[in-house]
Every structure is written in structure tokens, then in C-alpha cells.
Amino acid sequence: MQFWHGRQADSKNQETPQMSRYEDFYRQSVDAPEAFWAEQARLIDWQAPPTQVLDASQPPFARWFVGGTTNLCHNAVDRHLADRADQPALVFVSTETGTEKTYSFRELHAEVQRTAASLAALGVGKGDRVLIYMPMIPEAAFAMLACARIGAIHCVVFGGFASGSLATRIEDAEPKVVVSADAGSRGGKVIAYKPLLDEAIRLSKHKPSAVMLTDRGLAPMDLVAGRDHLAADLALQHHDAVVPCTWLAATDISYTIYTSGTTGKPKGVQRDVGGYAVALAASMKHIFDGRAGETYFSTSDIGWVVGHSYIVYGPLIAGMATLMYEGLPTQGIDKQPDGGIWWRLVEKYKVTVMFSAPTAVRVLKKQDPALLSKYDLSSLRALFLAGEPLDEPTARWISNGLGVPIIDNYWQTESGWPMITIANGIEAKPSKFGSPGVPMYGYRIKILHEATGEELTGPNEKGVVVVEGPTPPGFMQTVWKDDQRFVDTYWKSVPGKMVYSTFDWGIRDEDGYFYILGRTDDVINVAGHRLGTREIEESISGHANVAEVAVVGVADALKGQVAMAFVVPKDGRALADADAALKLEGEIMKVVADQLGALARPARVRFVSGLPKTRSGKLLRRAIQAVCEQRDPGDLTTMDDPATLQQIKQLVSSA
Ligand code: AMP
């Protein structure tokens, strides 16, 4: 087994201590969770302390810190005013617009109150939903914190999603107000958000009563009279607003965030207030080892869970400055190509903790390696990578280049914070290549046989990675408006056991390190972004010339996976004529990009006369995927028509 971070060591030669510091910490968390989490709860401010640490009386629902009242915005902003009002809280860098601006905690406090007053003026109160469809600009963070402040439930939708995806989410979240902007920008290309939002509202059965828009001056906006309001006008009216934090029950809802699953309908992952605040505060201390007064830089987007936990709330709760970055990793603030921009920012802002995704590092790998040694990176203590499997060449390249521990961490939108990693703040255990590490405190992680539900305890036995309840603080409470879907989807998938399924395959080695081996369901991971193949299939089916479609995720050197679509066209021209195929492929790709966003657009659309199915009519996606990756498709005894798979094989090998 090879090691690639921090203390280089060989596990075989290492003495196994009786009980390491981390093991001891972990044991306390699972043996006496209430005492353990009561202690962690002291990391945040409470208006009223909890009267019951955990209510697990209605499994699988876990209610943390019952009776306690607190507020995420208070913990992220107000709490720091006494000691660090003039220290940086939010550093905004946009290489798209050439903007660099720092907000102190005092300034952030004022901005958040202005936004909170603006939302309140638009009728938003406790429990109301506010959908945030924003580029990576400070106003997005102000809006999230403002919602938290007044007890509104925010629902951030990734700015890369198009009207169709946005409409589904508006319909499900039923927001009173939508917060948006004229446009985002990527690689110098302006993406107008307002027309996408208008179309989404038109498509949605639910109509928000107001829209609050930040005008960045990037794209013209047609304002709908009576509905659309410019954020700047509202901010002016509420310039000196004083909006106290609304004290919320720990078990109240802080936000929902949509994520893909097996069905075409995204799930609204719902999170609480108190449990989330405690979980983040604890993770900042024990996992990220970030300290007040330092700078945290996560390259993710506020539209993803990493953005919620580790761009906005986590670092701020810890009293750190958070660096919010809009732009590519390869473009300078002067808009010229610069593959060293991130490292320049690490030097300039003395970043101590950085968080990114393997795909981003793979992009940087194509840049001049000298860029890694050009800047003073001595402030940096660790680089955390998550969202997809971390391959060895990427890990080695960045580890050697930066000379700091590279910490792989495995988690999901549902968990809200890392489930498997190395808790550097407790004990800097060595990492093993290919493994994110060991279960984090609070998580009772098991590997179960997918068919029998039997626990697999032997080393390297492959099964489904599950979490035994009660789940720790910060974990999703339920699926928004659908407790039954939460129970049925996540807690009933392993026969005979009520355990939370991660829908990931995994193994555990002889030292207790876990290895994640991909999804058990139809979810794919493109550049660290989670996409449901069913959603893409549904979108493609909308094209008039599509009879049937199968979408699979296929291994890709840069993005980890890409979506590949196999379509049975209604008229056979695309099967016989290359030009007709190319035209139809272009049309189908446009349908997906227009409805779901460019992110979901398949890398290729191939035309076939039939799709491989079982005799009972189930699509054999896994067999298609195996053939695309030139692997053995496995047992095909239940396949109806072998010629269908043969046709795909020929298409793939002739590519
Ligand atoms: P998301 O909910 O978008 O964060 O996606 C979660 C999924 O991404 C997990 O279920 C895994 O399939 C994958 N994933 C996240 N982190 C890792 C990691 N460190 N190693 C391997 N897979 C990961």
C-alpha cells in the first residue's frame, strides 16, 4: 500500500497502537453520542441551550438538540463582531469581471442586514422559501445568510442549470421570492440568467410573488412590473437596517438543496439549524483544522453542498475569512490566461485550508508545473479534495507540487459534511492512496451485502456502504415535503435492515480504511457534479424523433465520467446517414443543454436500432457502460436481444 501525504510511512511497518487518539475520539462518538455531541454543541452560541441532545424515538428520523434555540447567521457573523469585526470575513475574487473585494465581519453584518430587510420588505418571513439562482458573487452569500437570519428557508440552485431544471425546483420549493442576477460569466462568456429564470417561472405551476435581482451590468434585463425588483434599489431603502436574528428551534429547517437520484425527479435534501451549525463547527475544528482569523478557500460553487458547508457557513462559523472565487482555475484577474491564479490567491490571502475537486486538479495538471513553486504557499496546511474518486497520478502530482497533505474526503449532499476522511485536527493519521480514510466521528458506517443485507466484516469484501442510524448532526432531516420518499429511498434499499444507503459500493481494508468503488444506482459523476441518468434520459425523450434512450456514465480521463447517450430514433435516417446522425445529435444535445444546462449535455449521442434489455424490459445500463469502457459486460443470461449490445460494441470500437 502506498502513501502520498504528510508523514510518508508504510503501514505494514507501522506498529499498531492500542487505541489511537482518533479511535478513542471515534469510539466516544458512537458509544455515547449524546455526551459526545453535547460537548461539540459548546462550539456554537445558543440563545437557549438544548434540553434533549437527541430524540431518536421515531427512526430513521434523528432530531438533534431538541429544545435549543440558535441561529446560523448569528454564529457565522454576529458572534464574531466582538473579537474580529474588522477582520476579513468574505474575500471576493472574480477573474471574470476583474473584481477583488474584501468584506470585514462588520461589513458583512451590514450587507446581510440590508438583504434581510429587503427580503422582509418583499414579504419573506420565517419558514418561507427563498430560491437563490445566482452566480458566484457576494450577493449570493448575503442572501443565504439573510435567509438564515430571518428564519427563511433558502434553496440555492446551481447557476449552471437551465430553465427546465430550475422550473422543477421552483415548483417543488414553492418560493415566495427568487433571488437572482442579470448574468453569470464563465471563461469570459456571459450567461444571461434572467431569460432562463423568466422561462423557468413561465414553465412552473408555482409563481413566486417577487424576484430580487442584482444587476452586474453584464446583460440587459427586462423587469416584470410588480414582480421584479432591483436589489440595489431595495438595499438603498434599507441601507442602515437593523434586523435582529430570529431565534430558531435547532430542529427548524435551514435550507433545502436538490440532488439527483434514481428517478427523474430531484430530491430536496432538507437540513436543520442547530445540528448543522454544530456539525460544521466540529468539522472545522476536527477535520479541516481551520482557525479563526485565517483564510479558507473552497473552489466549489454555492450551488453545491460544498458551497453551503465550506464556502458560506463552515469557515464563517469558525471565524475564518472565506475566499469566494468566480472564474476558471486558468484565468488571471487581468482576464489573461494564468494557470497559477489559485496559488497566487493562496499567497496573497495567506490561505491555510483549501478545498477543491479532483477534476479541477486534473485541469491544473495541464499547466506548467513551475506555477506550483512560483508562489509562497507556506501558509497552506492542507488541500482537501472531494466529490469524486481521487486517482493516484492526480494525488501524487498535486502532493509533490504543493508539499502539503492532500486529504481525500468522501461525503454526499445528504450528509452535509465529510463521512469518511482523516480527522487531522484530532490525529494526523497517514492517508492511503485511493482511500478517503476512516469513518468520521458520529458515523456508524458498515458494508453490507446488497442482496442479503448481511454485514461484510472481512477485509476487501465488496458491498454497499451504509450508515446505521441515528445519523449524526448535520445529516439531512428528510426529503422536503416527502418523509415517505426519505424513508423508502434511503432506508429501505437493503433487505431486512433499516440502514441509510449511500448508494455507493465500497470495501474496507485490514486497517479499517474505506475505498469507494462507484455508485450502485443510476447516478453519474461528471467533473464532481452529480447527475441522474434518468433526468438526462427524460430530457432527451422530449425530442420528437426519439423513440427510446439510455444514458450511461463512461470513464473519462479529465472529468472522471461523462454521459453517453444511446438513442433509438423514430425515423431511421440517423441510422443510415452520417449527416442526418450528426444533425440529430446536435439537436438532442441542444435540448439537454437548454433544459438541464450544459453540464448535463452528453459527450456523444449514438444511434442504435434497439437497446439492450432484460426479458422483462429493464434497461441493461450497466452492460452498456461496461461495453463503452471496454470491460466485460458480465452475466447476460437475462438479456432479450444480444444483437443490441453487439451493435453498441461495434459503434464504440469504431469510434
Ligand atoms: P454529491 O451528493 O454531489 O456530493 O455526490 C456524492 C457522491 O459523489 C457520492 O455518493 C460518491 O459517489 C461521490 N463521491 C464524493 N466524494 C467522493 C470521494 N472522496 N471518493 C469517491 N467518490 C466520492
Side-chain angles (χ1 to χ4, degrees):
M1 194 59 72
Q2 310 209 50
F3 292 82
W4 47 262
H5 103 60
R7 289 146 310 286
Q8 300 288 318
D10 182 341
S11 70
K12 302 275 175 339
N13 298 334
Q14 253 184 354
E15 265 180 48
T16 314
Q18 282 304 306
M19 174 92 94
S20 72
R21 271 190 68 180
Y22 180 70
E23 276 154 15
D24 185 34
F25 189 73
Y26 177 79
R27 281 258 63 89
Q28 291 174 36
S29 78
V30 291
D31 290 348
E34 297 191 41
F36 179 89
W37 287 107
E39 183 61 29
Q40 303 305 317
R42 296 153 75 102
L43 292 169
I44 68 157
D45 276 3
W46 295 90
Q47 195 246 354
T51 48
Q52 186 185 1
V53 177
L54 169 64
D55 168 12
S57 59
Q58 286 178 303
F61 300 93
R63 297 173 73 240
W64 286 96
F65 308 118
V66 180
T69 52
T70 185
N71 183 289
L72 274 164
C73 184
H74 167 84
N75 279 287
V77 184
D78 301 46
R79 184 160 73 123
H80 305 301
L81 294 175
D83 293 337
R84 54 191 80 256
D86 294 312
Q87 284 183 14
L90 194 151
V91 178
F92 173 57
V93 177
S94 170
T95 55
E96 298 290 337
T97 56
T99 315
E100 215 167 333
K101 183 169 179 183
T102 297
Y103 298 82
S104 65
F105 276 98
R106 192 195 307 282
E107 288 164 332
L108 179 61
H109 185 235
E111 293 286 1
V112 170
Q113 291 190 90
R114 254 165 236 147
T115 311
S118 304
L119 288 172
L122 297 176
V124 176
K126 181 173 181 268
D128 288 334
R129 272 80 59 212
V130 174
L131 187 136
I132 300 173
Y133 178 61
M134 286 283 252
M136 279 287 287
I137 54 174
E139 287 78 1
F142 302 159
M144 291 167 75
L145 291 162
C147 288
R149 193 169 190 86
I150 59 176
I153 298 167
H154 62 66
C155 168
V156 184
V157 176
F158 176 56
F161 282 127
S163 320
S165 308
L166 186 54
T168 326
R169 287 153 175 81
I170 292 176
E171 213 157 83
D172 195 68
E174 300 175 303
K176 192 167 235 178
V177 171
V178 174
V179 177
S180 190
D182 58 338
S185 176
R186 194 162 166 77
K189 193 172 157 241
V190 169
I191 301 129
Y193 280 22
K194 181 63 171 37
L196 295 174
L197 174 62
D198 286 341
E199 173 64 6
I201 294 176
R202 194 189 64 76
L203 291 171
S204 164
K205 285 202 257 322
H206 171 85
K207 312 286 177 197
S209 59
V211 176
M212 183 165 99
L213 294 148
T214 296
D215 187 357
R216 309 176 73 193
L218 294 178
M221 284 193 287
D222 289 330
L223 298 187
V224 175
R227 187 197 73 181
D228 296 353
H229 304 263
L230 287 176
D233 291 348
L234 290 164
L236 209 60
Q237 287 165 31
H238 302 284
H239 190 266
D240 300 317
V242 176
V243 181
C245 288
T246 301
W247 297 112
L248 303 169
T251 50
D252 278 343
I253 308 168
S254 60
Y255 69 77
T256 64
I257 178 170
Y258 286 87
T259 193
S260 303
T262 313
T263 67
K265 189 172 178 268
K267 291 184 286 273
V269 167
Q270 176 184 314
R271 227 178 289 291
D272 69 359
V273 174
Y276 187 51
V278 171
L280 291 184
S283 71
M284 290 304 299
K285 184 169 180 222
H286 307 311
I287 300 175
F288 295 99
D289 192 18
R291 302 163 202 169
E294 299 179 345
T295 307
Y296 193 105
F297 177 18
S298 164
T299 70
S300 183
D301 188 286
I302 42 125
W304 308 118
V305 69
V306 180
H308 286 63
S309 295
Y310 300 114
I311 293 178
V312 179
Y313 292 114
L316 292 175
I317 287 174
M320 297 178 82
T322 181
L323 199 162
M324 198 171 173
Y325 179 81
E326 181 190 43
L328 302 176
T330 51
Q331 182 175 287
I333 195 84
D334 54 3
K335 301 190 195 171
Q336 297 303 310
D338 179 4
I341 178 67
W342 284 358
W343 316 121
R344 193 182 77 80
L345 295 175
V346 169
E347 176 185 274
K348 180 166 179 185
Y349 294 104
K350 297 194 172 45
V351 171
T352 57
V353 187
M354 190 165 167
F355 193 128
S356 194
T359 297
V361 178
R362 286 194 289 267
V363 169
L364 290 175
K365 238 160 89 183
K366 296 189 175 150
Q367 307 293 312
D368 181 359
L371 288 168
L372 289 178
S373 45
K374 189 170 161 192
Y375 299 96
D376 176 6
L377 306 181
S378 56
S379 60
L380 194 63
R381 282 200 294 274
L383 170 66
F384 291 82
L385 296 175
E388 56 183 314
L390 176 60
D391 57 286
E392 177 170 15
T394 303
R396 277 194 196 288
W397 180 81
I398 195 70
S399 175
N400 292 339
L402 295 180
V404 299
I406 305 301
I407 303 178
D408 186 358
N409 54 119
Y410 163 82
W411 48 298
Q412 309 179 304
T413 305
E414 290 84 347
S415 70
W417 58 283
M419 301 165 77
I420 298 178
T421 185
I422 301 292
N424 247 6
I426 302 290
E427 182 194 351
K429 276 167 89 83
S431 291
K432 291 190 186 192
F433 168 69
S435 164
V438 297
M440 281 302 95
Y441 49 91
Y443 284 104
R444 284 190 292 171
I445 300 186
K446 302 262 155 79
I447 294 185
L448 303 188
H449 189 281
E450 79 278 17
T452 63
E454 178 202 344
E455 185 176 352
L456 304 175
T457 49
N460 306 319
E461 286 187 288
K462 182 178 167 184
V464 185
V465 179
V466 304
V467 181
E468 264 184 2
T471 47
F475 207 87
M476 72 187 290
Q477 285 180 301
T478 184
V479 170
W480 167 248
K481 291 194 304 196
D482 204 343
D483 285 349
Q484 200 54 48
R485 190 170 177 202
F486 173 63
V487 176
D488 292 347
T489 307
Y490 292 107
W491 294 86
K492 286 195 174 165
S493 74
V494 180
K497 295 237 166 91
M498 202 196 233
V499 287
Y500 169 88
S501 176
T502 62
F503 297 100
D504 279 305
W505 296 111
I507 56 172
R508 180 181 32 219
D509 73 6
E510 57 284 356
D511 299 324
Y513 281 64
F514 280 69
Y515 295 76
I516 303 299
L517 308 174
R519 298 279 303 193
T520 64
D521 58 5
D522 294 325
V523 165
I524 63 172
N525 197 318
V526 179
H529 303 320
R530 177 165 155 186
L531 298 169
T533 50
R534 292 277 169 86
E535 274 172 87
I536 306 176
E537 285 171 1
E538 278 179 20
S539 168
I540 291 177
S541 303
H543 188 286
N545 195 8
V546 172
E548 267 190 287
V549 54
V551 171
V552 296
V554 176
D556 179 82
L558 183 66
K559 297 181 174 176
Q561 275 187 314
V562 291
M564 203 63 103
F566 293 91
V567 165
V568 182
K570 280 190 186 151
D571 80 52
R573 269 175 305 166
L575 289 171
D577 170 0
D579 285 343
L582 211 60
K583 184 166 170 284
L584 186 54
E585 178 173 23
E587 285 173 19
I588 290 174
M589 286 198 179
K590 189 169 178 315
V591 166
V592 178
D594 287 351
Q595 274 181 8
L596 303 180
L599 186 75
R601 184 170 44 208
R604 285 296 320 256
V605 181
R606 306 294 211 137
F607 299 100
V608 288
S609 42
L611 290 169
K613 289 185 193 152
T614 61
R615 273 176 225 125
S616 57
K618 249 182 109 184
L619 258 178
L620 285 166
R621 287 194 187 75
R622 246 164 265 291
I624 303 176
Q625 184 190 40
V627 163
C628 290
E629 293 177 346
Q630 269 126 47
R631 288 185 287 108
D632 176 8
D635 181 9
L636 296 174
T637 43
T638 60
M639 187 157 74
D640 188 28
D641 179 4
T644 50
L645 199 61
Q646 202 51 38
Q647 189 184 17
I648 292 177
K649 211 176 209 164
Q650 269 160 11
L651 270 176
V652 173
S653 59
S654 65

